């Protein structure tokens, strides 16, 4: 599993001449990093007298951001697995018509999966950004730049995942699936942009 | 060292109620991830017949991106060390005037260091983005989305480091240092925005 590798070994594997892990897994990792920073700011707020009135809110934030971190961490490996499945499908035999039909169906199925993983990363980014907004607004002011970095990591996670959704959508034949996915995709991108902008403005204001 | 910890343990430490590692180290890590993705796209281009005419360019790109990855990786730990030095300085005794003077000077010195680490991250991001632009323009088209994710990670690395530079500049007394740093800071931000936008446009064009 990638998530249990030492950071430097994960980077070595990323930098190698193998296409996986690549940008898709990086997007999931960036999401996990963003969620971890939200948890940190939340935990640096909990138990402080000055922030007693937001204690319950922050406990809820940390519970949710830790759940999201767990989901992002799983998707880090799932993205690489999904990519490898597409590669395996592409190398299936295609001598007979029967084989061609089977290969094509397997490619389509694997590509759908490889689309849903980054789409899921995008959905989780939107959820995490709501939490980042709360920590930037109500969390420990000494850590507001960390809430800002959380937003930046979630933004690039979402935009990176979006690139991967787009590539895969391009090679899918199931037009109903393509339409449905495109609708979710656009909706999330819009919400993520709005949430990120509002939260970064809040961070800027707090930094003075 | 953070860089040799398993990814999940690094994330646990990030999410904990200790302010370091925090956003500063994350910015350096995001830079290292961006550099690793550039190396990957470069290596997936080298040795391919179709890209024979850019072979030398890509070899140069990979050499430089691997150097940058090494530098970013070091800064990941250096940022946390610099932050801890500021914390240590803040907890120095301040009973006598002599102690107060010494404490104040130590805080100022430590804060300068804590400013120069993220400024260095910003400088490396600008250098890496030149390489990302080259890979997006001339590298293996099958990996153009990875070049795009590299840009996104370098963008958030730079913006995250910038938040950390700003915070520290605010508490420095040496106005000559503050002026000089602010000039570099603004110049880098401008260049990084220009480079990122141009490269992401190139990526979009390639994705069609």
């Amino acid at each position: 599993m990638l998530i249990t590798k030492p950071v430097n070994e994960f980077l070595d594997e990323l930098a190698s001449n193998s296409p996986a892990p690549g940008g898709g897994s990086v997007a999931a990792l960036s999401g996990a990093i963003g969620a971890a920073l939200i948890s940190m700011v939340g935990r640096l707020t909990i138990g402080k007298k000055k922030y007693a009135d937001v204690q319950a809110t922050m406990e809820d934030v940390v519970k949710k951001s830790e759940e999201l971190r767990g989901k992002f961490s799983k998707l880090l490996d799932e993205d690489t697995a999904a990519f490898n499945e597409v590669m395996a499908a592409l190398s299936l035999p295609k001598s007979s018509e029967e084989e061609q039909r089977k290969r094509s169906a397997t490619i389509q199925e694997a590509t759908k999966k490889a689309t849903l993983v980054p789409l899921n990363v995008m959905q989780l980014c939107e959820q995490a950004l709501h939490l980042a907004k709360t920590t930037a607004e109500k969390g420990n002011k000494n850590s507001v730049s960390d809430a800002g970095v959380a937003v930046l990591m979630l933004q690039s996670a979402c935009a990176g995942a979006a690139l991967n959704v787009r590539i895969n959508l391009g090679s899918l034949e199931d037009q109903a699936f393509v339409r449905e996915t495109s609708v979710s995709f656009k909706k999330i991108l819009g919400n993520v942009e709005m949430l990120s902008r509002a939260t970064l403005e809040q961070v800027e204001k707090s930094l003075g």
Side-chain angles (χ1 to χ4, degrees), chain A:
Chain A
M1 291 215 320
L2 295 170
I3 194 76
T4 53
K5 275 192 197 268
V7 175
N8 53 348
E9 286 179 25
F10 170 76
L11 293 174
D12 287 343
E13 210 163 315
L14 196 59
S16 77
N17 69 348
S18 151
S25 286
V26 161
L29 173 58
S30 190
I33 295 171
L37 279 173
I38 295 169
S39 299
M40 178 183 100
V41 181
R43 285 172 172 151
L44 285 166
T45 309
I46 293 168
K48 299 275 194 301
K49 240 192 224 161
K50 199 176 155 189
Y51 298 99
D53 56 329
V54 294
Q55 174 104 3
T57 308
M58 286 300 142
E59 277 166 1
D60 185 55
V61 162
V62 172
K63 189 174 160 281
K64 287 178 180 156
S65 58
E66 287 298 278
E67 277 168 18
L68 288 172
R69 176 158 75 97
K71 289 180 183 172
F72 278 124
S73 298
K74 269 193 197 158
L75 289 169
L76 176 62
D77 278 290
E78 278 178 26
D79 191 274
T80 294
F83 180 88
N84 288 335
E85 261 185 57
V86 175
M87 289 296 118
L90 285 167
S91 65
L92 284 175
K94 47 178 177 178
S95 308
S96 66
E97 254 186 56
E98 164 78 35
E99 280 181 352
Q100 283 168 26
R101 218 174 10 249
K102 207 182 150 189
R103 175 175 175 271
S104 173
T106 313
I107 293 173
Q108 288 295 313
E109 213 39 58
T111 307
K112 269 190 192 174
K113 220 163 147 186
T115 310
L116 291 173
V117 173
L119 187 71
N120 197 354
V121 169
M122 293 178 70
Q123 288 160 338
L124 300 179
C125 286
E126 184 181 344
Q127 292 172 35
L129 279 164
H130 283 285
L131 306 176
K133 190 163 180 283
T134 306
T135 55
E137 284 168 358
K138 302 181 180 171
N140 193 326
K141 286 289 168 238
N142 292 331
S143 307
V144 74
S145 69
D146 298 299
V149 177
V151 174
L152 295 167
M153 298 309 288
L154 292 164
Q155 250 186 329
S156 48
C158 185
L163 288 176
N164 284 275
V165 171
R166 275 185 51 191
I167 290 172
N168 289 311
L169 277 188
S171 53
L172 280 174
E173 285 158 11
D174 180 345
Q175 290 309 312
F177 178 91
V178 171
R179 261 196 311 277
E180 203 184 310
T181 309
S182 300
V183 171
S184 312
F185 175 87
K186 279 179 198 155
K187 202 174 147 198
I188 298 170
L189 280 184
N191 291 343
V192 160
E193 201 194 318
M194 203 180 56
L195 278 164
S196 303
R197 200 183 308 165
T199 312
L200 289 174
E201 272 169 21
Q202 175 65 43
V203 171
E204 292 284 331
K205 216 165 65 184
S206 295
L207 287 177

